[in-house]
Amino acid sequence: MDSYCVMGNPVEHSRSPWIHARFAQLTGQDLHYGRRLIPLDGFAEAVRAFRLEGGKGCNITVPFKFEAAPLATQLSARAQLAGACNCLRFDGDAVHADNTDGIGLVSDIQVNASVTLAGLDVLLIGAGGAAAGVLGPLIETRPRRIVVANRTQAKAAVLVARHEALAQQHGVRLEAPELHAVRESHALVINATASSLGGAGIPVPASVLRPGALAVDMMYGPAAQGFMDWARAHGAQPRDGLGMLVEQAAEAFLFWRGVRPPSAQVLAELRAILD
Ligand code: ATR
């Protein structure tokens, strides 16, 4: 049976094994998907060992997404732009790497939440790995403007500079202002920071939320609650990162198996389990 896994640290909370087992059932694919807790200094060795055991591919989660690219013999354009990978596929001597986080977020917003991104004003809060993984696919949907706002402004400026050519190609305005200067309202606000994990408040004022704006936190569960409550209290439509999680998994499943599973059904099932 073909074998896959998610590698991370921590990884015990990961819903990926459940999601991929359900995808396999629904598409009639014969595979096993496990989870592996990887020592912080042992990622490359863990990938090597899994390949030797006959593993066909893996997902990569915190904190190893930046360590995966150097292991790849073929890197997708979006993984290259993100500078990070969330899945590998082993194919003989070849190691293919991709990043499906961005397309997962875009699918969740456009398909599951029925919000068309073209022409919108978007605020992306954060400039770490999570933000870097989604900026390219967001640009490709041709919003009017994307403001990347980060506590450390220089990181946002670097991220924006790396995506400038893609943005010009798609006619999208990219900006990286100082975080405290961001006040004007946006139709879509995406929280890609870890601020709620540390118990910190929302790093932007409520004026950034246009009435009825979609406000997405890329996390889910308790980590997303503060942002969701804040968005709801200020007239926005809150959305957690569970849909993005399932959609990025569906794209990874496609990358490995050549079949796209019914992600909306699996998202509904997962929400029912977690609620
Ligand atoms: P991830 O891979 O989850 O993005 P990361 O690369 O460490 O993790 O990035 C964390 C992001 O959350 C960064 O944008 C960080 O801002 P800085 O670049 O200034 O560090 C942001 N962040 C973390 N804690 C925050 C807080 N209390 N307020 C605002 N932003 C915060």
Side-chain angles (χ1 to χ4, degrees):
M1 194 188 287
D2 288 348
S3 178
Y4 299 84
C5 70
V6 54
M7 296 189 182
N9 187 342
V11 79
E12 58 277 7
H13 64 281
S14 173
R15 303 282 170 188
S16 292
W18 185 89
I19 294 169
H20 283 284
R22 192 70 187 117
F23 285 168
Q25 264 176 353
L26 291 169
T27 56
Q29 298 273 312
D30 197 21
L31 60 86
H32 175 265
Y33 187 110
R35 80 181 82 213
R36 290 192 176 196
L37 177 65
I38 309 299
L40 291 177
D41 60 354
F43 178 68
E45 174 53 28
V47 170
R48 200 182 68 83
F50 189 51
R51 283 181 73 191
L52 282 176
E53 289 165 35
K56 295 287 182 191
C58 62
N59 275 131
I60 302 141
T61 188
V62 174
F64 302 118
K65 288 183 185 183
F66 293 106
E67 290 182 47
L71 306 181
T73 58
Q74 265 130 327
L75 198 58
S76 73
R78 59 195 180 195
Q80 206 161 358
L81 195 56
C85 308
N86 75 332
C87 49
L88 297 176
R89 185 178 73 229
F90 311 132
D91 196 1
D93 287 339
V95 178
H96 299 263
D98 199 359
N99 190 323
T100 63
D101 285 334
I103 189 70
L105 176 68
V106 163
S107 294
D108 185 54
I109 292 170
Q110 299 211 119
V111 181
N112 299 334
S114 305
V115 171
T116 302
L117 283 154
L120 289 193
D121 283 331
V122 178
L123 173 60
L124 178 63
I125 313 168
V134 301
L135 185 55
L138 279 174
I139 290 169
E140 287 170 351
T141 66
R142 298 177 184 267
R144 191 176 80 92
R145 185 169 74 131
I146 304 177
V147 172
V148 182
N150 192 46
R151 181 175 61 179
T152 311
Q153 192 266 343
K155 275 169 68 180
V158 168
L159 191 59
V160 159
R162 201 162 81 223
H163 288 76
E164 199 52 64
L166 184 71
Q168 277 184 17
Q169 196 185 321
H170 289 88
V172 179
R173 258 169 67 196
L174 274 190
E175 295 170 19
E178 294 282 352
L179 186 59
H180 63 76
V182 179
R183 290 194 188 88
E184 76 274 38
S185 71
H186 297 76
L188 171 63
V189 176
I190 301 166
N191 185 18
T193 74
S195 59
S196 41
L197 279 186
I202 311 301
V204 288
S207 60
V208 302
L209 296 167
R210 197 164 291 175
L214 182 66
V216 181
D217 195 304
M218 286 172 56
M219 300 201 179
Y220 60 91
Q225 205 54 53
F227 180 84
M228 305 260 291
D229 292 345
W230 170 80
R232 191 179 290 108
H234 293 95
Q237 180 195 335
R239 190 166 182 86
D240 67 8
L242 202 63
M244 174 183 172
L245 176 76
V246 173
E247 296 298 343
Q248 66 75 27
E251 293 291 333
F253 195 91
L254 175 66
F255 174 65
W256 292 322
R257 310 296 298 182
V259 182
R260 202 180 192 289
S263 46
Q265 176 186 340
V266 173
L267 174 58
E269 291 175 359
L270 186 56
R271 275 208 195 283
I273 291 171
L274 295 180
D275 279 352

